[in-house]
Every structure is written in C-alpha cells, then in structure tokens.
Amino acid sequence: MKQNIKNELIRLQRQILQCRLCQDTFGFEPHPIVLGKHNAKIMQISQAPSKSVHETGKPFNDASGRKLRQEWYEISDEDFYNPDNFYIVSMAHCYPGKAPGGGDRRPPKICSKQWLLKEMELVDNEIYIIIGGVAAEFFFPGEKITALAFEDKQINGKPTYILPHPSPLNMKWFRDYPDFEAERIFKIQKEVHKILGIKKTTS
C-alpha cells in the first residue's frame, strides 16, 4: 500500500513539474517547485516561491529561508532540504510574478485545488507548518494570523503550527507581536527538533 502511495506521489510530482496552467497569466515560463517524499515527517506549506527560488529551483533559497532555517527552526540546511524530513510546498508551486502595485502577485487559486490538496492526501506527515497569511487563510478562513500564530491547531487530525512569513518585509509584524520570536517560536522549534530527532546542544 505504501509503495502504491509512493509511486502515486511520484507520478503527481511529475505532472506538477510539467504544469503550465498559469503561463498565459504570468507572461513568462513557469518553474514549478517540488521537494519531498511521501514519508516526509513535516509538511510545510507557504504562499508561493520567490523570484530567487524561481531562478534557482531551490525552495526558500533566499533571506526568508535563512531566517526560517537558522533562527526559527535552528536546523542545518542538510536537515531542511532532506526530503525525508520536509515536504516543502506552497499554495502555488510557481513564482507568480510581481504585482502592479509592488510585491509579488497572490498565488493563483487553481494551483492549490489542482495539486496541493492531492499532495496532502498522499504525504504521510506527522505535523503541518503553515507559513504566512495567505496559506493560513486557505486552511483557517476568517481567522487572523495574528491569533493563529500563537495557537496550536489541527489539519486532517495532525498537529499544525502557523508561522508569520519570515520575510524581511514583515518586520513590522515582528515588532508589533514581539512575543512570537521571544516565546512562541521556541515551542514550534522544540516540536521540529523532536520530530526530526535533533538533540539541541547547549554551549
């Protein structure tokens, strides 16, 4: 049964990599990003790849990713990019381009309906980590990330933690809600270490 699920996910990932549903909307060649295996311990779902990720093909290969790995999770790049540890995905698998008013476009809704929900059915993860307000709104409509970031939630009966986006552009949120980085993130970090079997050493 697990082998069938593994093969089904591999087939789905191949379809995702070939997807060009949004090419006309974007006005450039999409570059779908997929990383993770069917047995990944943590399924991390964010908004959409950045331009840097679009160019390199490596998720969270930017300032947001460095903050996420080094400061919040406190794990190595090797642990983060290990497909047995993390299934790294977004509401949109591709960089959506720049919005006319600045910043990135919102992820096209068709992507999560076409691909993400199917991936969630096939990945046997232990916990979910949801990053950013757009992804949080998808799973918890009507709830504000200012509250969700401090709550333990569940998706599909599995523990779920919501993070604000670690982007440098989100500094005002961190200033307005200092308890997140002062206290809350350490509970999430501890859970990540426990799931991955990482023993934190003290100097």
Side-chain angles (χ1 to χ4, degrees):
M1 182 66 176
K2 285 188 176 181
Q3 185 64 37
N4 291 340
I5 291 174
K6 176 182 177 181
N7 292 338
E8 193 172 343
L9 181 61
I10 290 171
R11 284 194 295 270
L12 182 67
Q13 289 176 332
R14 287 174 181 159
Q15 290 177 309
I16 292 169
L17 291 173
Q18 295 169 2
C19 179
R20 296 296 182 271
L21 281 171
C22 300
Q23 184 163 344
D24 291 343
T25 303
F26 291 167
F28 56 83
E29 178 78 10
H31 185 185
I33 307 295
V34 178
L35 178 67
K37 295 183 180 178
H38 74 288
N39 59 347
K41 300 177 182 72
I42 299 171
M43 192 168 198
Q44 177 186 285
I45 306 172
S46 57
Q47 177 171 328
S50 67
K51 186 176 182 181
S52 174
V53 175
H54 171 79
E55 292 169 347
T56 63
K58 192 173 186 179
F60 278 90
N61 185 30
D62 49 23
S64 298
R66 287 190 292 275
K67 183 178 183 70
L68 184 67
R69 297 189 301 275
Q70 298 170 11
E71 298 180 29
W72 287 1
Y73 292 162
E74 285 197 9
I75 63 175
S76 67
D77 287 5
E78 289 74 19
D79 283 327
F80 183 73
Y81 290 111
N82 183 339
D84 290 318
N85 287 340
F86 280 86
Y87 194 99
I88 303 172
V89 71
S90 306
M91 302 302 299
H93 289 72
C94 303
Y95 167 64
K98 290 294 181 186
D104 293 346
R105 290 187 184 127
R106 289 179 67 89
K109 293 181 179 180
I110 190 172
C111 191
S112 53
K113 295 176 181 178
Q114 181 76 17
W115 305 120
L116 175 61
L117 296 178
K118 294 176 184 177
E119 289 171 281
M120 293 178 71
E121 292 177 3
L122 296 173
V123 177
D124 187 24
N125 56 303
E126 295 181 43
I127 67 171
Y128 290 100
I129 295 178
I130 309 300
I131 299 179
V134 173
E137 172 67 20
F138 181 81
F139 292 104
F140 304 101
E143 299 187 53
K144 300 295 185 183
I145 194 166
T146 50
L148 289 169
F150 295 92
E151 298 176 3
D152 294 349
K153 305 291 279 187
Q154 287 199 344
I155 295 174
N156 297 333
K158 298 175 182 180
T160 301
Y161 304 96
I162 296 89
L163 307 181
H165 203 285
S167 168
L169 299 176
N170 211 17
M171 292 304 297
K172 184 180 184 303
W173 194 95
F174 303 134
R175 289 195 298 269
D176 290 346
Y177 301 93
D179 286 352
F180 180 80
E181 290 193 299
E183 299 176 13
R184 173 64 176 173
I185 192 59
F186 296 109
K187 175 176 182 176
I188 300 169
Q189 181 188 110
K190 186 177 179 180
E191 186 68 15
V192 168
H193 287 193
K194 183 179 79 173
I195 293 292
L196 300 183
I198 296 172
K199 292 185 179 179
K200 189 175 180 179
T201 57
T202 55
S203 54

